[in-house]
C-alpha cells in the first residue's frame, strides 16, 4: 500500500500520513490488548487523526480530491502497520506467559 501511495501523492505526504500509525497503535492496544488508558496519548492521537483529515481536505473537498486514493492507501498502510505491531506484541505476551507455565514443570 505504501509504495502504491508513493506513485499517487508526494513522498512527504505519504510519510506524514504513515507517521500516524502510532495513533492507531494506541487505539488498537487499548482495545485489543487492554492496555492502560492515558489521556495524553488520546489527545495526541486525536490531533494525529485530525491531521489526516486536514491533509485530505487540502486540495478541495474529500470526494473531489484526485489524490484521495493515495491518501487512503497511505492511511491503510499506517493501519496495517499498527495492527502488525499490536498483533506481534500480543503474540510475544502469549509466548512469555506460555514459557512461564512450561518452566514450572521443569
Amino acid at each position: 500500500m505504501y509504495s502504491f501511495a508513493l506513485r499517487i501523492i508526494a513522498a512527504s505526504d505519504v510519510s506524514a500520513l504513515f507517521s500516524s500509525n502510532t495513533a492507531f497503535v494506541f487505539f488498537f492496544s487499548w482495545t485489543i490488548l487492554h492496555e492502560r488508558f492515558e489521556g495524553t496519548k488520546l489527545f495526541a492521537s486525536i490531533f494525529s487523526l485530525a491531521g489526516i483529515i486536514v491533509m485530505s481536505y487540502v486540495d478541495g473537498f474529500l470526494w473531489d480530491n484526485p489524490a484521495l486514493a493515495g491518501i487512503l492507501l497511505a492511511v491503510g498502510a499506517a493501519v496495517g502497520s499498527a495492527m502488525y505491531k499490536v498483533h506481534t506484541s500480543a503474540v510475544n505476551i502469549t509466548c512469555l506467559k506460555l514459557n512461564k507455565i512450561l518452566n514450572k514443570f521443569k
Side-chain angles (χ1 to χ4, degrees), residues 14-49:
V14 174
S15 64
L17 289 168
F18 188 75
S19 68
S20 69
N21 72 356
T22 54
F24 294 114
V25 166
F26 168 69
F27 288 125
F28 292 144
S29 66
W30 180 44
T31 57
I32 295 171
L33 298 178
H34 306 290
E35 288 189 0
R36 188 171 57 103
F37 176 80
E38 295 182 29
T40 54
K41 286 185 180 180
L42 177 66
F43 189 69
S45 298
I46 289 171
F47 270 115
S48 176
L49 297 177

Side-chain angles (χ1 to χ4, degrees), residues 52-53 55-57 59-68 71-72:
I52 292 173
I53 294 168
M55 286 187 75
S56 35
Y57 280 100
D59 294 330
F61 186 68
L62 183 66
W63 303 115
D64 296 336
N65 191 347
L68 177 62
I71 291 167
L72 292 176

Side-chain angles (χ1 to χ4, degrees), residues 77-91:
V79 169
S81 173
M83 284 300 293
Y84 173 76
K85 290 176 184 179
V86 170
H87 176 71
T88 55
S89 178
V91 168

